[in-house]
Amino acid sequence: MPENYTPLEALKTYFGHEKFRPMQAEIIDQVLERKDALVVMPTGGGKSVCYQIPALVSEGLTVVVSPLISLMQDQVEGLRQNGVPAAFLNSSLNESQQRKVSQQITSGKLKLLYVSPERLLNPAMMAFLKRIPIKFFAVDEAHCISMWGHDFRPVYKDLKSLKSEFNNIPVIALTATADKVTRKDIVKQLGLDSPEVFIDSFDRPNLHLKVLPAQQRFKVIKKFIDLRPNQPGIVYCLSRKSTEKVAERLANSGIKAAPYHAGMSSEARARTQQAFSNDDISVVCATIAFGMGIDKSNIRWIIHYNLPKNMEGYYQEIGRAGRDGMAAEALLFYSYSDVAILRNFIEENELQEIRLAKLERMQQYAEAQTCRRKVLLSYFNEIYPENCGNCDVCNNPPSYIDGTVVAQKALSAVARLKESTGAGMVVDVLRGSSKSEIFQNGYNKLKTYGVGKDIDYFGWHHYLMQLVQQGFLEIAYDDHQKMKLTPLSKKVLYEKMPVKLTRPEKFAAGEAPVKKKTKKERLRDDLFERLRILRKQLADKQGIPAYQVFSDQTLQQMSEYRPDTVTELMAIDGVGQAKLDRYGETFLKSIENFKIQERDRGSTHLVTWQMLQQGKSPQEIAKERKLNSVTIYSHIAALYEKGKPISIEKYISKEDLDKTIKAIKTVGEMNGMKPIFEHLGGKIPFEKIRLALAMYHKKQ
Ligand code: ADP
Ligand code: ZN
């Protein structure tokens, strides 16, 4: 019986984790001592374990209140996968299904029951539960009870009656909402009895933070996704229309993407969400309507196509990435036109000032020249002592240059444009663009036309933003974001006041050059890919999301450590008893096959090597071994890369070699040999490209 486990044993047996995270153990003790508690932990912090473990190590039923059907289903499925007797009751079940759950409850078989607040508060349900030995109540997403929170649900208010109707039964409230007012309100509204309040750090160290100016967003996004094949992510957009537009453009360029917004039918929304959960599509372009119901643990990145309206929302949204604890990325595009749009949205009422202030804090984050994590956490009243090392500013600390001439050029362009245009036109004039608008307005005759050709588009936008931040320019948000001069600009223009600016980021398109993988990393990633496909097949068979089978983290560890035995597999984080029984053998088999193939691949090269040493030509070897000659050349290339004394020049002319290496340098090798082949007009066959690549790698 589960009652016999200690909390730690239950953690390993059911969830496959070795140890509790610092706060989890404390919270569990509190619950087991039958005390009320409020738990504030960021998304992905591991809140569920805090009530699931106490539920598993003690007698009786634990009732979990959860606001969304999809969340409940996901949680219950996850628990069942781990061999935990759990069920949910909500409006999605028919009568006979409901009866079955009730029977499980009365028979005492069920450990965890998830219910919607509506269902729980239904008088018949209350009466029924009063006859059941209930261990405690867990109120998930507890901020829904507070009008101060960002997701108020009136029905949550009535949960107040839990404490009075079920006296002596502890209540534990859980939320990821940070602000103090909401926390206090939760305690008050639920009538918690001198609860212990646990507040975990809001830091999500695995999230990489980055901000880019909103230039050529689509191009940047496309490249970003191309460099991260098969990694699920969300693009958050401000408008419904742009979710559709971006999704369509991505789909047209071969990326499996779909839109999601509140204007779609509920079926269409459910379809998108399901496809995303099941890894059938990898990108969702969504408004903020796409959110709370997603429990997907392997979201690897979040892009904000537009500036969010406040930090709370932003933090919630990026928090959806990397819940499995593995590296994940948050990229935000920042532009003044978004600021203007958001300012327009803010209505004139008593909340106007607060909302404007919140938007300004969001801007400060986007414009930060110091560690972004510090800025982010300070908003939530947390002090982060060191630089984080995992944000764009830390990775690429601003280096200041003498920007006086740059500033003079920019300010003079604004002056000559009579402060009547936005930043885009200022840059176009500086760069000497030949857009028709320029000629229509005679801007080509301005003295500043084309004086800034030496700086690219990104660079100029970066400098203009800096000038605004430092007060040398202003944006007229109430007048089409026109760029306006300030008293300080005059000092630069007429009094030669020096200006310091930071250098624009070198890799404006959002990417540092990709590091070449070591062989070990390549093999690990190949195995991960194979296990990912296996996971998907197993999940599809059961109609569940892939991450329910094993998390990315678990697959990653399997690819890294390549367990051979059940004991070794059991040592991997996330492999508990139920999953070991259910999937263990299949995964062990797949890992074993991978190893065998890798060994064979090694030996097939060696056979070619022996035959080469016997003086045979690649054609002869291909014929004798009944293999394609391209394969033999790829063996030769690999042998050469490994340091075997082979003279590549024997198989490719100097001229072809030079041409091909030049092509490799131009198109890169990220996307395999095909783009190189095409760049060369199809004139150099693949086998020669492969040889040239070997030469190229060796030289590097
Ligand atoms: P939250 O509900 O706070 O967003 P979850 O409870 O869903 O977070 O947990 C997030 C992830 O962390 C899950 O993948 C879970 O398996 C993992 N996790 C939770 N506790 C531990 C632990 N003690 N050790 C390792 N992983 C854990
Ligand atoms: Zn940082």
Side-chain angles (χ1 to χ4, degrees):
M1 272 313 272
E3 285 81 31
N4 297 332
Y5 288 124
T6 64
L8 195 62
E9 284 165 352
L11 184 73
K12 182 63 206 169
T13 311
Y14 288 105
F15 303 105
H17 303 316
E18 289 303 323
K19 54 178 191 296
F20 287 111
R21 291 177 181 160
M23 212 164 270
Q24 286 175 333
E26 282 178 64
I27 297 165
I28 290 166
D29 284 346
Q30 176 87 0
V31 177
L32 289 174
E33 282 173 28
R34 304 189 54 77
K35 291 185 191 144
D36 289 352
L38 169 64
V39 174
V40 186
M41 254 188 206
T43 312
K47 283 187 285 300
S48 338
V49 163
C50 300
Y51 59 83
Q52 287 167 352
I53 292 289
L56 283 167
V57 297
S58 51
E59 301 271 2
L61 179 72
T62 294
V63 178
V64 186
V65 186
S66 177
L68 288 177
I69 292 178
S70 61
L71 273 182
M72 277 186 239
Q73 284 171 341
D74 201 84
Q75 289 264 344
V76 167
E77 186 51 52
L79 286 166
R80 286 185 182 155
Q81 285 288 322
N82 283 320
V84 175
F88 59 81
L89 275 176
N90 59 37
S91 56
S92 75
L93 298 185
N94 64 31
E95 250 177 63
S96 89
Q97 288 169 319
Q98 294 187 28
R99 220 172 305 124
K100 219 175 117 203
V101 175
S102 303
Q103 277 162 6
Q104 286 176 311
I105 297 172
T106 15
S107 70
K109 283 204 190 97
L110 211 61
K111 295 305 303 178
L112 282 137
L113 173 70
Y114 284 73
V115 280
S116 58
E118 290 86 353
R119 170 54 56 99
L120 175 63
L121 296 165
N122 165 309
M125 183 70 187
M126 292 281 258
F128 170 67
L129 285 178
K130 280 185 182 164
R131 299 195 301 270
I132 306 292
I134 292 179
K135 181 76 192 167
F136 64 94
F137 289 97
V139 179
D140 206 3
E141 311 287 355
H143 58 274
C144 293
I145 202 168
S146 173
M147 294 228 288
W148 305 107
H150 49 83
D151 197 15
F152 176 55
R153 282 161 199 253
V155 48
Y156 255 67
K157 282 241 174 211
D158 302 330
L159 291 171
K160 213 184 198 119
S161 59
L162 284 184
K163 278 311 281 190
S164 49
E165 296 278 327
F166 296 84
N167 51 20
N168 284 332
I169 297 186
V171 173
I172 149 173
L174 306 105
T175 177
T177 289
D179 76 273
K180 280 187 207 147
V181 194
T182 311
R183 283 177 208 158
K184 269 207 190 133
D185 206 25
I186 295 172
V187 173
K188 189 172 135 212
Q189 300 285 343
L190 279 175
L192 299 186
D193 179 14
S194 44
E196 185 94 30
V197 180
F198 298 91
I199 300 169
D200 198 5
S201 162
F202 267 73
D203 187 24
R204 296 280 314 279
N206 60 322
L207 267 187
H208 182 265
L209 308 169
K210 182 176 183 114
V211 179
L212 282 176
Q215 309 303 325
Q216 300 180 300
R217 278 173 292 190
F218 184 77
K219 208 171 126 193
V220 177
I221 293 175
K222 169 81 171 59
K223 188 164 167 203
F224 182 95
I225 297 173
D226 282 345
L227 287 168
R228 292 158 181 77
N230 298 321
Q231 292 190 7
I234 305 173
V235 182
Y236 276 111
C237 307
L238 200 53
S239 73
R240 295 174 179 182
K241 219 161 110 201
S242 41
T243 64
E244 288 174 0
K245 225 171 56 194
V246 177
E248 193 186 326
R249 285 184 74 184
L250 286 174
N252 287 340
S253 57
I255 292 163
K256 287 186 190 149
Y260 186 106
H261 57 73
M264 287 161 49
S265 69
S266 57
E267 296 80 48
R269 270 182 289 155
R271 234 179 323 176
T272 298
Q273 180 158 348
Q274 179 94 27
F276 187 57
S277 264
N278 292 355
D279 290 342
D280 291 327
I281 56 173
S282 57
V283 179
V284 177
C285 303
T287 59
I288 53 171
F290 190 56
M292 201 154 96
I294 340 167
D295 219 16
K296 188 173 169 66
S297 73
N298 63 335
I299 297 174
R300 296 267 67 88
W301 52 263
I302 306 282
I303 290 178
H304 279 84
Y305 197 82
N306 304 97
L307 189 74
K309 59 176 190 273
N310 57 44
M311 297 282 274
E312 285 90 350
Y314 178 63
Y315 204 52
Q316 276 257 325
E317 283 139 31
I318 62 173
R320 299 196 172 111
R323 291 181 69 156
D324 51 15
M326 288 195 21
E329 296 167 273
L331 169 61
L332 164 69
F333 287 108
Y334 178 48
S335 74
Y336 290 130
S337 57
D338 282 350
V339 175
I341 293 170
L342 291 167
R343 288 177 74 103
N344 275 333
F345 281 166
I346 297 175
E347 295 147 37
E348 269 180 54
N349 61 21
E350 71 275 21
L351 291 172
Q352 183 182 31
E353 239 171 84
I354 297 185
R355 292 194 171 137
L356 283 172
K358 288 194 171 205
L359 178 58
E360 263 164 40
R361 295 294 296 269
M362 192 66 232
Q363 278 189 270
Q364 281 163 14
Y365 169 80
E367 293 174 357
Q369 298 286 339
T370 55
C371 174
R372 279 193 218 281
R373 190 163 260 100
K374 281 189 173 173
V375 180
L376 188 64
L377 291 174
S378 83
Y379 183 82
F380 296 111
N381 302 311
E382 240 184 81
I383 294 165
Y384 196 89
E386 308 283 330
N387 285 336
C388 78
N390 198 22
C391 75
D392 53 350
V393 183
C394 282
N395 299 153
N396 214 346
S399 56
Y400 284 88
I401 51 166
D402 178 2
T404 313
V405 175
V406 167
Q408 285 166 350
K409 285 182 184 172
L411 298 180
S412 131
V414 173
R416 286 177 199 279
L417 283 163
K418 302 206 163 52
E419 305 175 73
S420 66
T421 71
M425 182 54 82
V426 175
V427 175
D428 282 339
V429 167
L430 284 163
R431 298 216 1 98
S433 144
S434 45
K435 279 189 187 146
S436 57
E437 242 184 299
I438 297 242
F439 295 97
Q440 280 159 19
N441 291 303
Y443 294 158
N444 54 320
K445 298 198 192 92
L446 296 179
K447 231 178 136 185
T448 34
Y449 180 73
V451 296
K453 277 206 171 84
D454 53 326
I455 295 169
D456 69 10
Y457 208 69
F458 268 103
W460 272 119
H461 274 277
H462 170 86
Y463 289 135
L464 287 181
M465 265 189 201
Q466 293 254 310
L467 289 169
V468 173
Q469 283 160 33
Q470 297 186 28
F472 295 107
L473 278 173
E474 247 170 33
I475 308 269
Y477 287 115
D478 51 357
D479 185 14
H480 305 92
Q481 300 97 256
K482 288 177 185 164
M483 303 224 95
K484 303 280 180 190
L485 298 175
T486 70
L488 267 187
S489 2
K490 312 242 154 74
K491 295 203 168 174
V492 176
L493 284 173
Y494 310 118
E495 295 166 31
K496 299 212 162 64
M497 178 181 173
V499 178
K500 277 197 168 157
L501 295 172
T502 66
R503 229 183 264 284
E505 219 192 305
K506 236 191 304 180
F507 309 104
E511 280 319 316
V514 180
K515 227 179 43 217
K516 216 171 156 275
K517 291 182 196 168
T518 62
K519 180 174 173 206
K520 198 166 155 227
E521 287 167 341
R522 206 177 54 237
L523 284 172
R524 181 199 61 202
D525 293 353
D526 287 352
L527 178 54
F528 179 82
E529 192 50 28
R530 181 180 292 212
L531 298 179
R532 202 179 65 82
I533 293 167
L534 174 63
R535 170 177 77 174
K536 171 101 177 94
Q537 287 165 350
L538 292 168
D540 284 351
K541 247 189 245 163
Q542 305 170 75
I544 59 170
Y547 60 87
Q548 298 267 23
V549 173
F550 282 126
S551 72
D552 277 15
Q553 170 98 321
T554 303
L555 293 195
Q556 194 70 30
Q557 285 196 12
M558 285 187 196
S559 329
E560 183 98 31
Y561 301 118
R562 305 182 174 194
D564 290 310
T565 61
V566 169
T567 325
E568 281 173 26
L569 186 60
M570 193 74 183
I572 301 266
D573 188 66
V575 184
Q577 191 60 48
K579 287 189 179 172
L580 185 76
D581 295 344
R582 201 178 300 201
Y583 307 120
E585 212 176 304
T586 318
F587 277 82
L588 281 175
K589 190 90 207 139
S590 177
I591 294 168
E592 189 189 344
N593 283 341
F594 182 83
K595 284 186 182 171
I596 292 172
Q597 280 169 19
E598 184 196 328
R599 203 178 52 222
D600 290 354
R601 213 171 316 138
S603 63
T604 183
H605 287 149
L606 289 183
V607 175
T608 298
W609 174 232
Q610 278 163 4
M611 294 171 87
L612 279 174
Q613 282 178 307
Q614 290 159 11
K616 292 184 180 148
S617 74
Q619 285 71 21
E620 285 166 342
I621 300 173
K623 205 166 158 208
E624 204 170 308
R625 296 193 62 192
K626 297 198 176 59
L627 289 171
N628 195 316
S629 67
V630 179
T631 309
I632 303 300
Y633 278 105
S634 83
H635 291 171
I636 294 176
L639 288 162
Y640 175 75
E641 277 178 31
K642 277 191 199 135
K644 294 272 189 257
I646 289 174
S647 47
I648 293 281
E649 298 82 356
K650 241 164 85 182
Y651 309 109
I652 177 169
S653 72
K654 174 101 180 50
E655 197 194 337
D656 283 358
L657 183 64
D658 290 346
K659 252 196 263 170
T660 314
I661 293 212
K662 211 168 138 211
I664 296 169
K665 283 183 181 154
T666 320
V667 287
E669 50 175 316
M670 275 307 297
N671 300 312
M673 292 199 281
K674 199 154 167 243
I676 304 170
F677 179 75
E678 281 163 3
H679 186 81
L680 289 161
K683 291 201 188 89
I684 311 263
F686 278 103
E687 58 219 44
K688 293 202 175 165
I689 296 176
R690 181 67 190 88
L691 293 171
L693 272 170
M695 198 86 170
Y696 178 71
H697 290 158
K698 201 73 184 292
K699 275 214 185 98
Q700 299 236 308

